[in-house]
Amino acid sequence: MNAVENKTMPLVFLMINIFIAMLGIGLIIPVLPEYLKAFNAGGQAAGYMIAAFGLTQFIFSPIAGEWSDKYGRKIMIVTGMGLFTISNLVFAMADQIWLLYLSRLIGGVGAAAMIPSMMAYIADVTSVEKRGKGLGLLGAAMSLGFVIGPGIGGFLAEFGIRAPFYVSAGVAALALIGSLIFLPESLSKEKQLATRQVRVKRESIFKQFVLSFKAPYFILLLLIFALTFGLANFEAIFPLFVDAKYGYTVRDIAILITIGALIGALVQALLIGKLIQLFGEKLLIHVTFVLSAACLVLMLLSGNFWFVLIVTMLFFTLTSIMRPAINTLLSKMAGEEQGYVAGMNNAYMSLGNIFGPAVAGTLYEIHLNLPYAFGAIVLVISFFLSAVWGRKKYADAPVDLQKS
């Protein structure tokens, strides 16, 4: 077992880094429409920028994951945070719209470098039994950063429309320096060298993606996509939906999102490890997919504030359980390729982040109920894939996985 396993400081730095990354993404949301007006750009440009971030994140995630196996987790985490710092600086200082696109492309590469390496780091420094808790804490920091980001962005915008980006860049730079100094490497030099000496050349990202269809863990990657698609689908049109359908105010929406996501983050931080030990990953995955789909349907039934608050809390809680459960099972099946599989995990997640908001926005223009109805269908189909097709995949897995 690695020497860093019994230390909490490495996990704390990982949580700080992912929190800052997600915070930087979230704080852009409330100021982006106003910011784009200075460039005579609007919603279409904003959509393309989100797609640009997701595109480079998708392309570079498997590459970065493989590099973390070969050269270590720390260098990839620090590099990702450095790219994220540069991305926000470019966005803050831009005077032409192409610089905004460049910023988002760089940010996507930074996310690709950080997230798979962090997940692999957790696998390096935890036992199989404690891995779910570690991934849950990382997921909680990720969720918390994204959720409170818009609120902080709106506050910072009072000091200038570019202020949120400068602040995000500054804090990211501090986290970079702290990680560079204090974060220990989790992967031994021997394992790095052994991986580098393997002469089997990886296929391109697109061929890797096709080959992943035949992998024993493909069903889990597909579930990561479905989860991310459903969550992004929910979050992308939530403010528009409750405003148009139920007449909610900005304050109402802020309360719903903040409380719901905070509850989800607390569940990830405090309970996910116990839930996995008590029920196992497979049962948690099946139950949370079904109940998450039910939550999306329930959102269409009533505009009562307390009802919507409870449904929102349940949805965020269920998805907060679902993600570390899938990630833990995927990590167990990854064997010695933790970085590579984590990279593919992030690639599927980035696809969900691209297509979820895009589909939600398109369906919303047709009818405001369609995004949640379609999201529920995707989650139900995912449950059946996991329960029926996944049964054979799990049965073929090692004995310890069958007991998960």
Side-chain angles (χ1 to χ4, degrees), residues 172-213:
L174 289 176
L176 183 158
I177 295 170
S179 296
L180 189 62
I181 297 173
F182 299 110
L183 185 68
E185 176 56 59
S186 64
L187 192 64
S188 68
K189 293 290 185 181
E190 291 77 12
K191 287 187 176 181
Q192 294 176 38
L193 183 59
T195 305
R196 289 201 295 269
Q197 289 176 340
V198 174
R199 297 184 180 276
V200 178
K201 184 179 180 181
R202 295 281 186 196
E203 301 287 353
S204 70
I205 170 59
F206 301 104
K207 289 184 178 179
Q208 286 183 49
F209 194 73
V210 173
L211 289 173
S212 71
F213 298 167

Side-chain angles (χ1 to χ4, degrees), residues 85-372:
T85 303
I86 294 170
S87 171
N88 279 283
L89 277 176
V90 171
F91 208 93
M93 301 172 65
D95 57 0
Q96 299 181 52
I97 194 166
W98 70 268
L99 289 171
L100 301 183
Y101 287 105
L102 176 64
S103 165
R104 296 298 87 192
L105 289 168
I106 295 172
V109 178
M114 279 192 298
I115 296 175
S117 300
M118 290 179 180
M119 295 174 65
Y121 194 112
I122 295 293
D124 292 339
V125 302
T126 58
S127 62
V128 173
E129 293 76 17
K130 296 182 179 180
R131 192 167 299 164
K133 180 179 179 181
L135 290 170
L137 289 170
L138 196 67
M142 182 185 298
S143 301
L144 186 62
F146 184 80
V147 168
I148 71 172
I152 295 178
F155 171 76
L156 292 173
E158 296 293 323
F159 300 93
I161 198 67
R162 297 175 185 262
F165 307 104
Y166 281 117
V167 171
S168 179
V171 176
L174 289 176
L176 183 158
I177 295 170
S179 296
L180 189 62
I181 297 173
F182 299 110
L183 185 68
E185 176 56 59
S186 64
L187 192 64
S188 68
K189 293 290 185 181
E190 291 77 12
K191 287 187 176 181
Q192 294 176 38
L193 183 59
T195 305
R196 289 201 295 269
Q197 289 176 340
V198 174
R199 297 184 180 276
V200 178
K201 184 179 180 181
R202 295 281 186 196
E203 301 287 353
S204 70
I205 170 59
F206 301 104
K207 289 184 178 179
Q208 286 183 49
F209 194 73
V210 173
L211 289 173
S212 71
F213 298 167
K214 300 179 181 180
Y217 44 77
F218 168 67
I219 185 64
L220 299 176
L221 294 174
L222 194 61
L223 295 183
I224 286 290
F225 169 80
L227 161 62
T228 309
F229 181 97
L231 187 58
N233 180 294
F234 180 89
E235 293 175 340
I237 54 96
F238 182 82
L240 297 174
F241 174 81
V242 294
D243 175 56
K245 191 174 179 71
Y246 302 131
Y248 284 7
T249 64
V250 173
R251 181 175 176 273
D252 294 332
I253 295 169
I255 292 172
L256 289 169
I257 290 290
T258 301
I259 293 179
L262 282 175
I263 294 297
L266 287 174
V267 168
Q268 279 190 320
L270 302 177
L271 299 179
I272 188 61
K274 295 178 181 177
L275 289 173
I276 289 177
Q277 288 182 353
L278 187 60
F279 298 106
E281 294 91 340
K282 288 185 289 185
L283 180 59
L284 288 177
I285 291 168
H286 295 161
V287 171
T288 52
F289 264 109
V290 172
L291 295 181
S292 295
C295 286
L296 292 182
V297 174
L298 290 173
M299 283 293 297
L300 307 176
L301 302 183
S302 172
N304 178 274
F305 181 82
W306 293 105
F307 175 83
V308 175
L309 176 60
I310 292 172
V311 172
T312 303
M313 289 169 55
L314 281 174
F315 183 79
F316 278 114
T317 299
L318 291 165
T319 54
S320 296
I321 295 171
M322 192 190 306
R323 188 181 298 279
I326 298 173
N327 285 341
T328 302
L329 196 54
L330 183 59
S331 177
K332 289 179 180 180
M333 298 185 73
E336 295 298 318
E337 294 190 321
Q338 293 292 337
Y340 169 69
V341 174
M344 289 307 301
N345 181 329
N346 203 40
Y348 277 79
M349 185 171 64
S350 63
L351 283 179
N353 283 327
I354 293 172
F355 288 107
V359 172
T362 301
L363 293 177
Y364 183 81
E365 293 299 322
I366 300 174
H367 193 283
L368 75 168
N369 287 344
L370 280 179
Y372 287 165

Side-chain angles (χ1 to χ4, degrees), residues 54-74:
L55 179 63
T56 50
Q57 184 182 19
F58 166 68
I59 292 173
F60 285 94
S61 287
I63 299 172
E66 183 179 350
W67 285 356
S68 78
D69 285 335
K70 291 182 176 180
Y71 306 107
R73 318 304 188 198
K74 178 175 179 176

